[in-house]
């Protein structure tokens, strides 16, 4: 069974750093892109970026470029999302998800499956 | 950047057919994917590449895409179908989500 398991909920203060994780199992971790998606309280889904663990190629949404860092350690099948200085506005649920891609005439990509989510709360 | 437009809410009577739309410029030329998100849960893929159902998704869920509108159709709606639904496309190597639609089953 393909599965993504995320690290637990975090409570942090503004200005602190944080790194959350997403561990894949049941498939070849290095052969699929992994994406991160933010969901602020009561709001919709926002794509943050994707990483290809095979070579660490990373793409960011323009909205999140420079705000977060996405990385991966293929030796332990784990992707990461990190902040160097959190803000209250980073309070949200964060999901990782495996990206399936079809090229050529198809040229499309979709997320399946998703991790269970990591709730990040930033408050003084 | 490419934008997707969804109605904020759709209501359907129990056992009837619900249709949730996703609008975008010439969206018919792209592949559209749909996710269901129930309260307190992670999203789940229900339709990929316009009209394909992942294993485990009931046949009641179907999708179509043409012109400027893609549609997710839920037949014989059940109380358990109450959820938020999001459409998504891949555009210029970016993931784009619609704003989401809340489906209420009356």
């Amino acid at each position: 069974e393909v599965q993504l398991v995320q690290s637990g909920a975090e409570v942090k203060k503004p200005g602190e750093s944080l790194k959350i994780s997403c561990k894949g199992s049941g498939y070849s971790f290095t052969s699929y892109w992994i994406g991160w998606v933010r969901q602020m309280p009561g709001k919709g889904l926002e794509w943050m970026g994707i990483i290809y663990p095979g070579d660490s190629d990373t793409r960011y949404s323009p909205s999140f470029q420079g705000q977060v860092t996405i990385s991966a350690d293929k030796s332990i099948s784990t992707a990461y999302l990190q902040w160097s200085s959190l803000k209250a506005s980073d309070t949200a649920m964060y999901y990782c998800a495996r990206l399936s891609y079809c090229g050529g005439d198809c040229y499309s990509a979709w997320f399946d499956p998703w991790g269970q989510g990591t709730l990040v709360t930033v408050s003084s | 950047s490419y934008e997707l437009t969804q109605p904020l809410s759709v209501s359907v009577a129990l056992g009837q057919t619900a249709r949730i739309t996703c609008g975008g410029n010439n969206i018919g030329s792209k592949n559209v994917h749909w996710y269901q998100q129930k309260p307190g849960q992670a999203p789940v893929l229900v339709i990929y590449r316009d009209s394909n159902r992942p294993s485990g998704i009931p046949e009641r869920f179907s999708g179509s895409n043409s012109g400027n509108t893609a549609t997710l159709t839920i037949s014989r709606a059940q109380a358990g179908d109450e959820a938020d639904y999001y459409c998504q496309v891949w555009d210029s190597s970016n993931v784009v989500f619609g704003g989401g639609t809340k489906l209420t089953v009356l």
Side-chain angles (χ1 to χ4, degrees):
Chain A
E1 178 195 6
V2 176
Q3 207 171 6
L4 297 173
V5 177
Q6 298 185 228
S7 49
E10 302 274 1
V11 179
K12 291 289 189 179
K13 292 182 172 14
E16 292 186 332
S17 62
L18 175 64
K19 191 173 189 177
I20 62 175
S21 66
C22 169
K23 183 173 177 60
S25 62
Y27 72 101
S28 174
F29 187 74
T30 55
S31 299
Y32 288 83
W33 293 79
I34 290 281
W36 288 94
V37 175
R38 182 176 78 174
Q39 187 168 40
M40 299 178 76
K43 301 298 184 183
L45 305 176
E46 299 175 271
W47 173 63
M48 302 177 73
I50 52 175
I51 186 166
Y52 190 74
D55 61 7
S56 291
D57 186 9
T58 308
R59 317 277 176 86
Y60 292 94
S61 160
S63 299
F64 291 93
Q65 179 81 48
Q67 307 305 308
V68 297
T69 301
I70 295 172
S71 60
D73 184 341
K74 61 185 179 183
S75 70
I76 56 171
S77 301
T78 301
Y80 302 96
L81 177 66
Q82 69 180 85
W83 296 259
S84 58
S85 180
L86 287 160
K87 302 183 285 288
S89 57
D90 292 317
T91 294
M93 181 71 82
Y94 292 88
Y95 294 101
C96 66
R98 190 184 76 168
L99 192 73
S100 289
Y101 176 81
C102 58
D105 290 344
C106 173
Y107 186 64
S108 190
W110 59 95
F111 286 124
D112 182 49
W114 295 60
Q116 83 278 18
T118 296
L119 180 62
V120 174
T121 303
V122 184
S123 174
S124 55
Chain B
S1 60
Y2 195 79
E3 294 186 359
L4 296 173
T5 301
Q6 297 183 237
L8 282 177
S9 63
V10 168
S11 298
V12 62
L14 187 68
Q16 297 304 302
T17 297
R19 293 179 179 84
I20 299 172
T21 59
C22 176
N25 184 34
N26 197 25
I27 196 173
S29 67
K30 301 181 182 298
N31 286 289
V32 179
H33 322 291
W34 292 91
Y35 303 91
Q36 176 193 67
Q37 186 180 32
K38 296 181 179 180
Q41 298 184 19
V44 172
L45 180 72
V46 294
I47 293 288
Y48 66 99
R49 294 181 64 184
D50 294 342
S51 59
N52 295 277
R53 277 178 292 104
S55 61
I57 301 302
E59 291 183 10
R60 300 185 299 103
F61 288 81
S62 62
S64 63
N65 183 18
S66 179
N68 293 316
T69 305
T71 303
L72 173 68
T73 300
I74 305 171
S75 304
R76 302 181 299 282
Q78 302 177 358
D81 297 333
E82 272 209 352
D84 293 325
Y85 290 85
Y86 296 89
C87 58
Q88 177 248 309
V89 300
W90 176 253
D91 178 74
S92 302
S93 299
N94 291 296
V95 174
V96 180
F97 288 107
T101 298
K102 181 176 182 59
L103 177 68
T104 300
V105 180
L106 304 172

